Amino acid sequence: MSLYPESPEAAPLGGEGPQPRTTYLSVILPVHDAEPWLDECLGSVLQQDFEGSMELSIFNDASKDKSMTIIEKWKEKLEGSGILVVIGGHDSPSPRGVGYSKNQAIAQSSGSYLCFLDSDDVMMPQRVRLQHAAAVRHPTSIIGCQVRREPPNSTERYTRWINHLAPDQLLTQVFTSNGPTVIMPTWFCSRAWFSHVGPFDEGGRGVPEDLLFFHEHLRKGGGLVRVDQSLLLYRYHPGAATHSILETTIWTHRVRFLEEWALPHWATFTIWNAGRQGRRLYRSLTAGSRCKVVAFCDVDENKIKKGFYCYEDSQERPKPRVPVLHFRAAQPPFVICVKLDLTGGAFEDNLRSLHLQEGRDFLHFS
């Protein structure tokens, strides 16, 4: 017999039998072998100062540790405080993955708003209240927040990027290797909007389900809003699901989204970086997009002296030879393949000196 009983189906309105329960807000919590962190995570749900009705929807994805014991212990405490706890899951030999678990947790929940929580993270007491207020004002947006990283110095550049993007950069910097500009562990949105965009991809381990959903959200015209308070302790550890996704998989999705979302607006463009990353982007583009590349630009005198980049693997004859120029001699718009926050400010100073507008004259792809 399974540990997870089926939820009884609600009778039609006005009929006999139990009426469907409705909750204002559901915290969505997928769990897989989360024993080291669950006490702190579930305690943070109990500490929320949100005054509306709230439920916690947990889906246990084949945990083999003591996760279920901890969940059962907290169920009593949470329900004693008026927070309904819905538990689903399976005890198959292997997990089905984060996308599947989130979809299941959402399907068994009933809230009009969804607050996503990872089992290794900790919410600040005001998280649900402040993000809910933002979601009411922005019904077709994903609402995020600033985070505090644990351990504090584990991903300093990434954490700065998460917390300090300007509001317009939440939309212009969606192509970088950092992934979604509003990060998944902070997501909050209405159920109606999730249903319009979703569900999550259920491909399992190695599938960037958050990035795929994020791209679909943007395709559907969704907005991005960040509450500028640190509302989540965002944990970094080697077992995190993020580490199972290959960089090449992410790269392919990013290039395709750049070609779909940005490049159609430009007749021609310049790739800023004549080095490895710039050349890799050029080679990854479809033939139609490669034709739009009028130049590479750089600050490296050796690359500029060479004068051009020859695409040796091209089937075209003659093989494409793309000029390599100094950045001041190059024409925008630029797709920038230089990593931010790594050159002591030298690259950022060069870019600022051109007085360009991000989104119109350049995009970051680093």
Side-chain angles (χ1 to χ4, degrees), residues 231-249:
L231 303 179
L232 190 76
L233 181 74
Y234 178 34
R235 226 183 281 273
Y236 178 86
H237 58 90
T242 314
H243 301 310
S244 71
I245 300 166
L246 294 173
E247 187 274 340
T248 48
T249 303

Side-chain angles (χ1 to χ4, degrees), residues 164-181:
H164 298 301
L165 286 172
D168 56 336
Q169 290 177 317
L170 296 176
L171 280 169
T172 58
Q173 293 204 12
V174 296
F175 308 104
T176 79
S177 58
N178 286 335
T181 48

